[in-house]
Amino acid sequence: MPLRIEDYALIGDCQAAALVGKDGSIDWLCLPRFDSPACFAALLGTPEHGRWKIAPAQEVRSVRRRYRPGTLILETEFETDTGAVTLIDFMPPRSNAPDVVRIVAGVRGEVPMQMELIVRFDYGWVVPWVRRLPDERNGMRATAGPDTIYFRTPVSLRGENLHTVADFVVKQGQRIPFKLVWSPTNEPEPAERVSEVMLRSTENFWKQWSNRCTYKGEWREEVLRSLITLKALTYAPTGGIVAAATTSLPEEIGGVRNWDYRYCWVRDATFTLYALLTGGYTDEAEAWREWLINAVAGTPDELQIMYGVGGERRLTELELDWLPGYENSSPVRVGNAAYKQRQLDIYGEVADTLHLARRLGLEGNEDAWYIERAMMRFLENEWSKPDEGIWEVRGPRRHFTHSKVMAWVAFDRAVKAVEQFGLEGDSRRWAAARDEIHEQVCREGFNPKVNAFTQHYGSEDPDASLLMLPLVGFLPADDPRMIGTVDLITRRLMRGGFIDRYETQHHVDGLPGGEGTFLLCTFWLADNLALQGRSREAREVFQRLLDLRNDVGLLSEQWDPVNRRLVGNFPQAFSHVGLINTAANLSREPGGPAEDRQG
């Protein structure tokens, strides 16, 4: 059985990522891209579905781990009766092929160690042909179809039951490297690189990047770790940022709400841009904006809610029936059928992102305004129609209040583009549409019976997405209607101090079972409380969220308040984006994203 989600840490090279457990096992690795089929998939099954474990052969008395400061280099120290060793895990900045490097360093005494490498391509389905490299006793090659992995180490290797294993002893001061590199089968083996040189170059890469961080606020360490995580989830060739490194980690243990999050969501765009700029990472912000423009290029009616890291549009969803799922949470899915959904809010997100880029002086893009004007022409005829809403519910279309508000955002930002930046467009017509939407939302989306804005027109149900209304400038946070909305959400959606997205027990989303509390929505609650002048309460909520991070500072999508554990895909970019933005909102200096986004 895999470890608890919070017992994993992330390593990556800004194109692919792996999860390393406290037990020294890499249980998840997709190569050569985030969304490629996994060669280690034990996270969603058993060791026989692929893993790479290096750990003491004797009882472990304690485990301590950390990232080297300002880096994504993971150090796990194992303490045993005979000594201590540190396992150093990292993925070097990519040259022409993805590498995973592990160095076992003797700290004290001497420790017997075991290594087990189980390569299983295509999410644990394909057992490769493994053979030794020519003239090398301690190198091997695993091949199946298009995928080949080369593995090298000075330790003697042997095969046992389709596993590659090794036994060795590490003494104080010794450093023993293990290197894995992926290559297309039809290409030559990538040039070998020296492990210690790779370690130094990786540390230099991350430290130089971290030293660029301009955030100097109260939570610098927490914000920087979240920024590093966000950078690690960025696909460097395009600038796209995946929502998470994993697929099918359940939102409820044993449940069916298991989705593939290794894609880029348009709804994340503006929050992500703010988070990057909060840290001073203009280059990454521009790359994210460019990815967005390239991905959404085309006719407005074809705008999707998500795309692949390269901008791919077809994300066909499949179920992998040979994998039992994380703690038997099935089905395991790859691809995401929600890419076909109609969600009106994404037009507002795109317009808001492009507006923010203009306001903050990012280098102009001549295609951006052309795309935005085309979206306005489309939205003029479409905003009044029902959709599936921000949460990708697999139920009937409705007039979701949040979707209407984001349509308002689209028109509002288009008007401001003309008025503030002198761009050419029919601002008078757009202003009329903006005002019509605002009036309709205030009339149909607000329910006097519950004194709050509700999930969709005619509903009495709360929805945490409505915490967005003040954050996008639709209404002031201290408007009595928003005070009532925050009150309804906290009364009916708060569990254990954290916020649910909506009441899943009513099955309004067309899905069985439930899910954990949604961390991003809880960050939004803290933002609203801060904007209402309830600073002490906002900081208490924020501290509760910080306390959920695992020992190396990572968050998943959700939190199970009953079993007190992280759930959902991991690490979750949106949770870390929320942490960065809320830290900025709660800083002593004014002008955080919650206030600035209204400009």
Side-chain angles (χ1 to χ4, degrees), residues 192-239:
E192 187 176 3
R193 297 193 283 171
V194 178
S195 300
E196 297 292 345
V197 173
M198 297 163 84
L199 177 59
R200 288 195 296 272
S201 66
T202 303
E203 186 162 21
N204 288 338
F205 168 83
W206 282 107
K207 283 192 171 180
Q208 288 174 12
W209 190 85
S210 296
N211 287 340
R212 290 167 45 204
C213 180
T214 59
Y215 176 80
K216 306 296 183 185
E218 183 176 350
W219 297 279
R220 178 173 168 78
E221 182 179 341
E222 295 87 345
V223 166
L224 180 57
R225 177 50 54 192
S226 288
L227 284 164
I228 291 171
T229 304
L230 202 58
K231 174 69 172 176
L233 295 174
T234 301
Y235 185 64
T238 65

Side-chain angles (χ1 to χ4, degrees), residues 37-108:
C39 58
F40 300 146
L43 181 70
L44 302 178
T46 71
E48 288 303 314
H49 295 110
R51 75 170 184 181
W52 181 11
K53 185 174 182 179
I54 301 176
Q58 56 193 200
E59 182 181 356
V60 175
R61 296 297 186 187
S62 65
V63 178
R64 292 182 297 275
R65 62 181 182 169
R66 65 160 195 159
Y67 285 115
R68 289 190 179 182
T71 79
L72 203 67
I73 299 170
L74 179 69
E75 295 185 338
T76 306
E77 183 175 307
F78 298 102
E79 186 85 33
T80 73
D81 287 338
T82 62
V85 297
T86 295
L87 178 60
I88 305 168
D89 287 308
F90 62 99
M91 293 179 69
R94 190 170 302 190
S95 54
N96 63 339
D99 301 273
V100 181
V101 181
R102 318 190 76 183
I103 299 173
V104 181
V107 176
R108 186 173 55 258

Side-chain angles (χ1 to χ4, degrees), residues 391-532:
W391 303 131
E392 294 142 33
V393 298
R394 302 198 177 191
R397 291 181 176 179
R398 296 181 173 92
H399 290 283
F400 285 99
T401 305
H402 171 267
S403 296
K404 306 300 186 189
V405 169
M406 293 308 295
W408 174 90
V409 168
F411 287 110
D412 179 72
R413 285 12 175 204
V415 170
K416 288 175 177 175
V418 175
E419 295 178 349
Q420 296 179 8
F421 296 95
L423 300 180
E424 184 178 346
D426 194 342
S427 61
R428 185 173 299 178
R429 191 171 76 247
W430 297 335
R434 175 186 63 182
D435 295 344
E436 182 182 356
I437 297 171
H438 198 282
E439 188 277 331
Q440 185 190 92
V441 169
C442 291
R443 184 183 70 249
E444 303 292 341
F446 182 81
N447 189 326
K449 185 176 180 180
V450 294
N451 190 35
F453 289 97
T454 56
Q455 185 180 67
H456 53 85
Y457 291 178
S459 170
E460 297 183 8
D461 297 326
D463 190 303
S465 67
L466 301 172
L467 294 169
M468 283 278 290
L469 270 63
L471 307 185
V472 298
F474 185 83
L475 281 176
D478 58 359
D479 184 288
R481 292 165 293 185
M482 275 312 306
I483 292 174
T485 300
V486 170
D487 178 65
L488 181 68
I489 288 171
T490 53
R491 281 190 291 107
R492 289 178 53 180
L493 296 183
M494 182 174 279
R495 287 190 294 148
F498 304 95
I499 298 295
D500 286 326
R501 293 188 292 180
Y502 46 83
E503 294 175 327
T504 55
Q505 67 269 26
H506 293 168
H507 302 308
V508 296
D509 54 12
L511 295 167
E515 62 180 30
T517 56
F518 203 74
L519 301 187
L520 180 64
C521 294
T522 311
F523 283 114
W524 291 346
L525 173 63
D527 295 336
N528 272 261
L529 294 173
L531 289 173
Q532 291 178 2

Side-chain angles (χ1 to χ4, degrees), residues 27 38 47 79 116 124 128 131 159 162 164 193 224 244 319 333 357 426 471 477:
D27 287 348
E79 186 85 33
E116 180 184 55
R131 64 189 190 278
L162 301 179
T164 300
R193 297 193 283 171
L224 180 57
E319 295 184 2
R333 296 180 174 95
D426 194 342
L471 307 185

Side-chain angles (χ1 to χ4, degrees), residues 5-6 8-12 17-20 28 34 43 67 72 225-226 228-234 241-247 249 261-263 519 550 552-558 566-577:
I5 291 171
E6 50 265 46
Y8 288 98
L10 178 78
I11 59 173
L19 293 190
V20 186
W28 182 253
F34 293 109
L43 181 70
Y67 285 115
L72 203 67
R225 177 50 54 192
S226 288
I228 291 171
T229 304
L230 202 58
K231 174 69 172 176
L233 295 174
T234 301
I241 301 174
V242 295
T246 57
T247 179
L249 289 183
Y261 273 21
R262 298 170 299 159
Y263 304 113
L519 301 187
N550 72 358
V552 289
L554 301 181
L555 289 168
S556 65
E557 181 186 30
Q558 300 180 13
L566 294 175
V567 289
N569 284 300
F570 176 86
Q572 180 80 4
F574 225 4
S575 296
H576 287 280
V577 164

Side-chain angles (χ1 to χ4, degrees), residues 84-85 105-111 169-176:
V85 297
V107 176
R108 186 173 55 258
E110 58 179 63
V111 180
V169 175
V170 179
K171 299 179 181 179
Q172 181 176 334
Q174 277 188 307
R175 295 171 73 88
I176 301 176

